[in-house]
Structure formats: C-alpha cells, structure tokens
Amino acid sequence: MTQNNPWTSEDSLNTYQIPRWGEGYFGINNSGNLCVYPDKNPAGPIMNIKDIIDEVKKEGLEFPIVFRFHDILRSQVKKLNETFNETIKEANFQGEYCGVYPIKVNQLREVIEEITDIGMDYRYGLEAGSKPELLTVLAYNKNPRSLTILNGYKDREYIELALLGRQIGRDVIIVVEKLSEIHTIMSVAAEMNVEPVIGVRAKLSTKAGGKWSESSGDFAKFGLSVPEILDLIQLLKDEDKLHWLKLFHFHVGSQIPDIRMIKECLTEGARIYTNLRELGAPIEYFDVGGGVGINYDGTMSNSSSSTNYTLDDYIGDVVYILKDICDLNNTPHPNIVSETGRAIAAHHSCVITNVFGKINLTDKRVVDTTPNDKDKLIIKKIKALSTELNEKNYQDIYNDACIIKDEAISGFKLGLINLTERSIVESLYWNICNRIIEMTQDEEYVPDEIRSLKSVLADKYLCNFSLFQSAPDAWAIDQILPIVPITRLNEQPTNECTLADITCDSDGKINHFLGSDGNRSTLPVHDLKDKEEYYLGLFLTGAYQDIMGDMHNLFGRLNEVHVYCDDEDPTDFYIEEIIKGNSASDVLEIMQYNSKEMCKIIKVDVDKKIKEGKIKPRRGVKLTDFYEKSITGYTYLSSEK
Ligand SMILES: *Cc1c(COP(=O)(O)O)cnc(C)c1O
C-alpha cells in the first residue's frame, strides 16, 4: 500500500471476504466500523456494531458477548418461504411449500419465538428430534396451517406426546426412522384412540459429501432401506392403515458442499416417491430434510466449509427436479417440506471478544554473526547460514538450520555445549525463520513447510473467549468461521496473527482463516493500542455453535444481547434484552458444588487467621466479600485493567 493508494474499507471488505459470506447483511461504514444492514441494503438502516458495544459497556456488561440480530433471523425465514413460493408459482407446481425449522440448530426460546412469529405469515412450522425438543415444538408451534415434524428415535412416551399434539389440533407427523417404531405407533394409537399421521425416512444410496456424509448411504444410522420401506407399506396395508402414511422424508447430511450431490439425492428421492404413490401410499408431503450449506470460508466452492450453490439455486433444483420426475410419471405434485436449519440460523448471531494481549514465541533479538575463531563448530555453522541466507537459497538454509538446532539441543543434553551457546543457536535459528517469512511475503508459491512456519511464528492474539463454548466446530471439525475486527477497517491491518483462547487447552486456538485465495494460516489484524480495546467478531455462529458449546474449563454460557432494528432511532437499533451468561456459581452447581458451602469454608479459614492475629479483621471481611463476589461473577476475564 503506497501513499497515493491509502487503505480503504473496500480493501477490508476484500481482505475479510465480507460480501462473500455476509449474504448482504454486513458492511463497513465511513468510520471504518463493521455494521449490520438488516434489510441487506446499505441505503437502509445501518446498525453500527461499535455503537452496540459502547451501549452494552455502559450497562456494565462484560465480554465475550453474543450479539443476536433478530432481524436477520426474520429475514432468512422470509427469504426461504418467499423464494419457495415464487419458484413454485413460476414452475406452475401444484403443491405448496410447508417448511419446518429443525430446532436442534438453535433451540434458544427467543430464536424459536422469532421464527414462529414470522412463520405465521407462511405455512412454516417446527421440527423436533428428541423428547425435550418435542415438548418444545408442541408448545411453540401454534400456526394452525403449519406442520410439526417429529424425527429421531422414539419410545412410547414420545409417541404418546405426539398423539397428544394431534388431539390439541397440531398437525403432527411422526416420521418412522426404524421399522419397529410402527408397532409402538399402532399400539399407542389404539390405546389413545387417535389416528396418527406418519412419514417414512428413506436411506438414500446417494452419498451427500461433506463432513456429515455418514447421514446417508447404506450404513446410515437413520432411515429405512428400500426393502424395509416396502415391508412398512405391506404392514400398513395388512392393518388397513395405509392412509396414515402421508410423508416421504430423507435427510442426507448437513452442510452439503456440492449441488451435484443435492440433485442426485432429489432425483433418487423423487423416484422413490412416485413409486410409492404407484404402490397406493397416499403421500402428500415430500420432505427433503436439511443440508443447505453456508459459505463459511467465502470460497463459494465445494470445499467442506463452503458451497458451490446459493439458496435460490437449491430451491430451484428442489422444485424443478421434483416437478419433472412427477410429470414424467403422471404422479400428482406433493407439497414440499424442507428442514433447512443452518441456512436459517447461521447469520443471525456472532460472538464479540476483546483481545487482551498478544504473545510472540520468538522475539526477534539481534545476535552478532561475525565469525569468531573461538566459536564452537556448531556456532560457526549457524552464523554462516545466517550470513548466506538469500531469496534463492532459503529452502536449503532452512533445512540446514533445522538440523543445527536439533543438534544443538542434543549437544546441550550431552553437556557438549553450554546454555549461552544454545541460546545463540536458538536465537539465530528464529532470526533465520523470521527473515525467510519476510522474504516470501509476496511470493505466490511458498512451500508448505514455510507456510506453516509463518503461522507458528505469527503473533498470537489472546482473545477473551472459549473456543469450546463459542466455536466448537472450529475445534472439532476444522470448520472455518469468518473472523473480522469490529473497528479500524479503514486502516491497513499491519500484523498477521493466530488466535488463542483463554482455556488451558493447547487446542484452544484458531489458525485457519478465510482469505481471498482460499484458506490462510494467519489473520490480518491491526496493532494493539495501549488505551483502546480491540474487538474481534466471530461470525456465522447462529447455527449449532450457539448451542453445542461445552463447559471445558467451566467457562459456561456467554452474556447475550438481543438487538433489533429501529429506523426511527438515531442509532437505527435498540437493545431489547440482555441475558446474563453463567456465573461461576452457576457452572459450579452443574458440577455438583454448593457455592454457599464454598463461601463458608473460605470464611471459616479467614476467621481462623483473624483469631490467630495473622489477618486484621477489616482485611478479613474484605477477603471473604471478594471471594463471594467472584463466585457470583462472570466466568470469563474481566476487562478492568
Ligand atoms: C440436523 C437435521 C436437519 C437440519 O439440517 P441443516 O443442515 O442444518 O439444514 C434437518 N433434518 C434432520 C432430520 C436433521 O437431523
């Protein structure tokens, strides 16, 4: 970047690939702050994330914080339903769209309330996969036109609850995941004297690809094979209950990266549907499950953190492939159900963390490399390497330097070289590495070894959050999540860093980031300033990440802020609700501790020291109060300096 060509927010949009993963919801304002466009329109309302940060700080809320943008949630539900409805109309398709939101993607009550509220405008319902989820959808899906779909393995109680739902007027469909469930359904239905409506989940032979491809194929955990589906039909016919079977379902995995796999699944599914109709099953609903992926890494490719299609492409394929196959076979068009979860929820929430410091494992020290006759051979060798290093020989020099460093360590253990000599070798080794990284900065092709060196040697920005709580997929399956500084986006980021969280776990780090040419091993960031907080946002955490987080190191749930757009307000937003995250006593109680008891133990010991005259009474009271205050406080780092 030269003087004539200063860094602009345009450069930041590109560096952090914001338009490619942001779906139009995110942008940068004139002051270089990251903003939310709830209407996907930079000319419409703009919510400045820094303003929201300032407002919650005034309330005394501590970081990390989840920001939940309810307008984005509503907008995604609207987009899914309207695109389906428009495509159905355009294709002259005879069925309707009646989708369901699978609540496992994010079960938070406020999320469900928002989705069912906007869902009232459409035939949009809920899906459950376990008993607690079933209890939830029965209470919260009150849209009389919409479906309540029940997946997952079921016991008697599950089926009784489902039929309770039918009795109070919910349009409940029980999806048979394994053949034996039908016997339980029949027996409970007879006992309760309620007619169930059932669906059948098929195991497709098409593999979906991506990280969840095990959900399909012959050995999948859920669903009936083709012979089993035929058994089910025969069984229902024998019992004169074939009219119960109204839905055909498949779900081949989440985050399907490649549209070709989706087309294959739809084709196989549609063929099964037409055949089942021919066999007399009165199926009215064709349920394509979930699987619509998110462009997490911005590549728009079939990499596992991305997709090579858009939601519009997906919907077009569902409607047209189904229509074509039905028409070819003169089969009536069914209603279309999708259980799209990730694509609904991912964009609406993010985690804001404050960077509280940085570490560099290899500080750049100056070492004299002038040859000296008294030097041991190993020192002579590494000094020579350091002097000879240039753009052409860096790979050879790097290899030799690695050998010398290893030799130095062995020599040290054997007592052949002393601590000072070891220090010279190590310092020169890291000097050489750092210089190689600088040399290869602008090179297009850099050997893998050197590339990973760059990530190892980069600064580590220490972020106040737990990867295991807030971005479990980044840890478990190397999912890339967009990470962007919240401020200074009109300033050139002059550092490259990796991120470390505050868990005592060496896995608590992020060293895969999105970049304009695919994945990168470091994140471009700005220098930290003494008197100014630096905030990073982890985006697209609304699907699964929000709710799968675990208690590693007992950090627990985050403070949460619910933000709504208000065009009338000068800031374009208002905070509707603040939900406090876990306190230390909350997480301790989950682990069976009694925080009152713990406070008592500390108090007894303090009192003892007071009696012994080792602590002054006034000081003792302060210490007990301080322990009590900490146990009711937030689990993460406090930003008070
Ligand atoms: C998880 C799941 C979904 C949601 O899938 P997404 O990929 O998040 O859209 C839908 N249906 C079933 C049966 C599921 O298990």
Side-chain angles (χ1 to χ4, degrees):
M1 219 45 36
T2 61
Q3 285 308 90
N4 331 340
N5 216 352
W7 187 268
T8 65
S9 55
E10 206 56 41
D11 296 310
S12 286
L13 287 175
N14 190 33
T15 299
Y16 301 105
Q17 297 282 299
I18 296 167
R20 305 194 98 191
W21 55 263
E23 285 280 325
Y25 291 119
F26 300 93
I28 299 172
N29 71 2
N30 294 336
S31 336
N33 293 334
L34 198 65
C35 291
V36 174
Y37 307 141
D39 297 344
K40 299 193 177 194
N41 180 3
I46 297 180
M47 307 194 274
N48 178 350
I49 297 182
K50 181 62 174 35
D51 284 349
I52 306 172
I53 289 178
D54 290 342
E55 187 162 330
V56 297
K57 265 173 79 173
K58 261 190 237 140
E59 302 279 327
L61 206 62
E62 302 216 67
F63 290 87
I65 305 177
V66 172
F67 282 6
R68 211 174 278 295
F69 297 102
H70 286 258
D71 299 275
I72 296 183
L73 204 50
R74 296 179 79 87
S75 165
Q76 287 298 90
V77 173
K78 217 168 142 178
K79 161 139 179 112
L80 176 74
N81 279 277
E82 291 185 356
T83 311
F84 257 115
N85 291 344
E86 282 157 21
T87 312
I88 280 173
K89 205 161 152 212
E90 172 199 289
N92 200 14
F93 186 88
Q94 301 306 305
E96 288 185 30
Y97 178 65
C98 25
V100 287
Y101 168 73
I103 72 166
K104 75 155 190 270
V105 177
N106 194 328
Q107 303 102 334
L108 192 77
R109 175 172 54 80
E110 287 86 348
V111 169
I112 302 302
E113 283 174 347
E114 205 63 65
I115 287 177
T116 48
D117 184 58
I118 178 85
M120 280 289 179
D121 295 349
Y122 312 97
R123 286 186 74 177
Y124 196 61
L126 296 176
E127 184 264 2
S130 68
K131 235 182 281 178
E133 288 186 356
L134 164 56
L135 293 164
T136 311
V137 298
L138 285 180
Y140 280 83
N141 185 19
K142 292 189 241 142
N143 179 343
R145 298 187 299 145
S146 76
L147 299 178
T148 298
I149 293 190
L150 307 182
N151 294 313
Y153 291 135
K154 302 157 197 78
D155 60 7
R156 241 190 133 73
E157 189 185 4
Y158 190 113
I159 290 160
E160 284 172 12
L161 282 167
L163 296 186
L164 173 156
R166 284 210 76 78
Q167 283 179 299
I168 60 171
R170 308 279 194 262
D171 201 348
V172 174
I173 302 184
I174 307 169
V175 178
V176 175
E177 303 260 15
K178 88 182 194 316
L179 197 52
S180 61
E181 283 172 1
I182 190 61
H183 301 295
T184 325
I185 294 174
M186 282 182 173
S187 119
V188 175
E191 239 166 65
M192 292 176 70
N193 197 20
V194 182
E195 283 266 292
V197 173
I198 65 173
V200 58
R201 174 163 176 179
K203 246 182 222 173
L204 297 189
S205 65
T206 314
K207 282 259 192 181
K211 308 224 189 220
W212 285 270
S213 58
E214 296 297 307
S215 306
S216 59
D218 293 340
F219 304 107
K221 178 167 134 190
F222 287 118
L224 275 62
S225 65
V226 164
E228 285 172 327
I229 295 176
L230 298 182
D231 287 349
L232 175 71
I233 300 234
Q234 194 54 50
L235 217 145
L236 289 169
K237 269 188 184 158
D238 292 347
E239 299 287 328
D240 203 15
K241 303 290 188 216
L242 194 55
H243 58 283
W244 285 1
L245 183 58
K246 293 231 175 96
L247 178 139
F248 172 73
H249 174 256
F250 58 88
H251 169 73
V252 294
S254 203
Q255 184 66 21
I256 304 174
D258 190 351
I259 187 90
R260 277 176 32 221
M261 292 302 115
I262 291 176
K263 289 178 200 276
E264 299 264 338
C265 294
L266 285 167
T267 305
E268 189 183 347
R271 292 277 305 130
I272 301 178
Y273 160 73
T274 56
N275 275 255
L276 292 180
R277 290 288 308 220
E278 278 161 24
L279 292 173
I283 294 173
E284 292 171 20
Y285 298 98
F286 185 82
D287 181 349
V288 297
V292 180
I294 293 293
N295 194 15
Y296 289 103
D297 70 4
T299 58
M300 297 182 167
S301 70
N302 63 356
S303 92
S304 58
S305 287
S306 189
T307 61
N308 61 5
Y309 58 92
T310 62
L311 186 61
D312 293 61
D313 297 336
Y314 170 81
I315 292 172
D317 276 347
V318 171
V319 174
Y320 280 96
I321 290 177
L322 188 54
K323 176 181 150 72
D324 286 351
I325 292 178
C326 288
D327 289 351
L328 264 176
N329 294 277
N330 281 323
T331 312
H333 298 171
N335 294 315
I336 297 175
V337 180
S338 85
E339 304 175 347
T340 311
R342 189 184 294 274
I344 292 290
H347 288 81
H348 91 279
S349 82
C350 60
V351 174
I352 308 288
T353 164
N354 54 317
V355 178
F356 64 94
K358 66 173 182 183
I359 43 179
N360 193 308
L361 301 179
T362 58
D363 54 343
K364 297 164 189 152
R365 1 179 125 242
V366 187
V367 184
D368 183 10
T369 52
T370 3
N372 184 332
D373 282 346
K374 285 194 211 121
D375 283 342
K376 292 217 171 100
L377 183 61
I378 199 162
I379 307 269
K380 282 191 180 139
K381 277 198 203 157
I382 193 134
K383 280 185 175 175
L385 288 181
S386 174
T387 318
E388 286 161 21
L389 176 66
N390 64 37
E391 268 90 359
K392 298 218 170 62
N393 65 8
Y394 67 79
Q395 179 75 60
D396 284 345
I397 299 270
Y398 175 69
N399 297 342
D400 290 351
C402 289
I403 295 172
I404 292 179
K405 179 169 156 267
D406 290 346
E407 283 175 358
I409 306 282
S410 310
F412 176 72
K413 287 187 196 153
L414 291 170
L416 300 176
I417 69 169
N418 64 26
L419 203 59
T420 315
E421 288 157 342
R422 174 175 162 179
S423 161
I424 295 175
V425 174
E426 278 188 27
S427 301
L428 278 175
Y429 170 80
W430 293 119
N431 271 359
I432 290 171
C433 293
N434 276 314
R435 280 163 57 208
I436 292 177
I437 288 166
E438 273 163 33
M439 274 175 195
T440 53
Q441 204 72 282
D442 300 320
E443 266 183 45
E444 219 151 85
Y445 173 75
V446 181
D448 271 356
E449 226 175 356
I450 307 288
R451 198 188 290 270
S452 57
L453 191 61
K454 191 171 156 187
S455 146
V456 175
L457 288 187
D459 284 346
K460 281 191 182 17
Y461 272 39
L462 306 173
C463 301
N464 188 12
F465 82 113
S466 155
L467 188 70
F468 305 90
Q469 172 64 238
S470 295
D473 282 349
W475 166 66
I477 55 167
D478 263 334
Q479 177 84 70
I480 288 184
L481 290 175
I483 300 175
V484 189
I486 302 301
T487 55
R488 296 166 67 185
L489 292 166
N490 48 7
E491 223 180 276
Q492 182 170 14
T494 47
N495 268 10
E496 294 280 333
C497 77
T498 61
L499 305 182
D501 75 358
I502 57 171
T503 63
C504 306
D505 191 314
S506 51
D507 262 1
K509 63 175 183 221
I510 303 184
N511 54 11
H512 291 294
F513 304 93
L514 47 76
S516 46
D517 47 359
N519 299 354
R520 349 175 0 137
S521 54
T522 55
L523 178 72
V525 283
H526 304 89
D527 256 333
L528 299 178
K529 293 183 184 166
D530 267 352
K531 294 226 162 55
E532 191 180 301
E533 285 274 16
Y534 192 63
Y535 298 102
L536 290 175
L538 277 72
F539 290 86
L540 308 185
T541 56
Y544 303 105
Q545 309 312 295
D546 264 357
I547 40 92
M548 283 196 332
D550 67 33
M551 297 285 283
H552 197 11
N553 265 145
L554 298 184
F555 282 113
R557 286 194 69 82
L558 277 64
N559 284 331
E560 217 180 283
V561 174
H562 292 195
V563 186
Y564 282 80
C565 170
D566 177 11
D567 217 355
E568 309 285 290
D569 190 278
T571 61
D572 285 356
F573 72 86
Y574 69 99
I575 292 172
E576 183 247 9
E577 189 175 17
I578 288 178
I579 304 174
K580 283 288 189 113
N582 285 145
S583 66
S585 63
D586 291 339
V587 294
L588 288 169
E589 255 140 57
I590 295 171
M591 295 294 141
Q592 301 279 27
Y593 293 96
N594 180 331
S595 52
K596 289 216 175 70
E597 211 47 53
M598 290 162 71
C599 288
K600 223 186 276 166
I601 295 172
I602 297 298
K603 188 167 182 323
V604 167
D605 282 356
V606 168
D607 286 348
K608 211 165 107 202
K609 292 288 171 201
I610 294 176
K611 276 216 188 86
E612 292 169 8
K614 298 213 166 99
I615 298 179
K616 292 252 175 325
R618 201 178 280 279
R619 176 91 193 124
V621 173
K622 277 227 166 85
L623 289 176
T624 346
D625 284 354
F626 176 58
Y627 184 88
E628 280 169 17
K629 181 168 165 257
S630 292
I631 215 163
T632 53
Y634 199 22
T635 51
Y636 292 85
L637 297 190
S638 165
S639 52
E640 264 171 68
K641 290 241 163 89

